[in-house]
Amino acid sequence: MYRNTEDFIAEWNGSAKGTLKVMQAIPNDKMDVAIVDGHNSLGWLSWHLVGVAGAFGHFAGLQIPAPGPDMKQPETMAEIIEAYEKVIEAYKTEVSTLTEEQLLEEVAAFGGMMKRGQLLRVLIDHQTHHRGQMTVLLRQAGLKVPPVMGPTQEM
């Protein structure tokens, strides 16, 4: 749980940078790669991270420019990356305005209540979870896995 904005922004910068590297490693012709047919694909996971960032922001009372659940996934990674870059910047701007007291406030999220600072922690955990799935799919697709938290096997 975050109790000050500086800690969130520092961790968000690192997490978002890694996620952006993974998204940038996905060529358009591999967006449909999934572990098996019918499961989440690289394109779907990327777009999901953009959209869910908006939902987390909504719960936290932040203005995060993200697509709604009914907005169709773009056809290119460039479009997804552009939307994600806007999300990255919006979180830095929006969270920087929060006070320590606001981070401790309870907000409605996922059918219950949680502290805003806890919700921001779950946002990063959620992103990390899906980024891990994406790195496995990159390797399965025969693509290079970019360094996210240190060197990759290829390095």
Side-chain angles (χ1 to χ4, degrees):
M1 184 175 114
Y2 298 101
R3 288 176 169 63
N4 66 63
T5 59
E6 294 83 8
D7 288 349
F8 169 79
I9 291 171
E11 194 160 346
W12 174 252
N13 284 339
S15 181
K17 182 181 176 183
T19 301
L20 189 58
K21 284 182 185 180
V22 170
M23 288 182 184
Q24 291 168 334
I26 305 168
N28 291 336
D29 67 338
K30 299 292 185 178
M31 288 174 66
D32 292 332
V33 170
I35 194 88
V36 295
D37 286 341
H39 280 253
N40 299 336
S41 67
L42 284 167
W44 185 92
L45 288 163
S46 298
W47 190 235
H48 173 69
L49 289 176
V50 175
V52 169
F56 275 87
H58 172 77
F59 293 144
L62 307 173
Q63 298 298 313
I64 306 299
D70 57 341
M71 191 169 175
K72 187 179 176 207
Q73 175 186 315
E75 294 185 19
T76 68
M77 283 306 300
E79 294 170 281
I80 294 173
I81 289 167
E82 181 181 349
Y84 183 66
E85 288 173 331
K86 290 177 184 174
V87 165
I88 293 170
E89 292 307 312
Y91 265 101
K92 289 191 271 190
T93 301
E94 288 285 310
V95 171
S96 70
T97 67
L98 296 175
T99 65
E100 290 179 16
E101 292 78 21
Q102 288 173 311
L103 289 171
L104 296 174
E105 286 177 353
E106 297 262 331
V107 294
F110 309 111
M113 300 294 289
M114 68 173 58
K115 291 181 178 158
R116 187 175 279 114
Q118 180 184 7
L119 179 64
L120 292 172
R121 174 74 252 160
V122 174
L123 166 68
I124 289 183
D125 289 345
H126 177 261
Q127 179 171 260
T128 301
H129 163 71
H130 286 307
R131 186 177 62 231
Q133 292 175 321
M134 293 164 73
T135 60
V136 170
L137 292 175
L138 284 174
R139 187 153 284 143
Q140 178 180 313
L143 300 169
K144 281 191 171 184
V145 175
V148 174
M149 299 181 80
T152 63
Q153 180 182 10
E154 295 83 3
M155 298 174 95

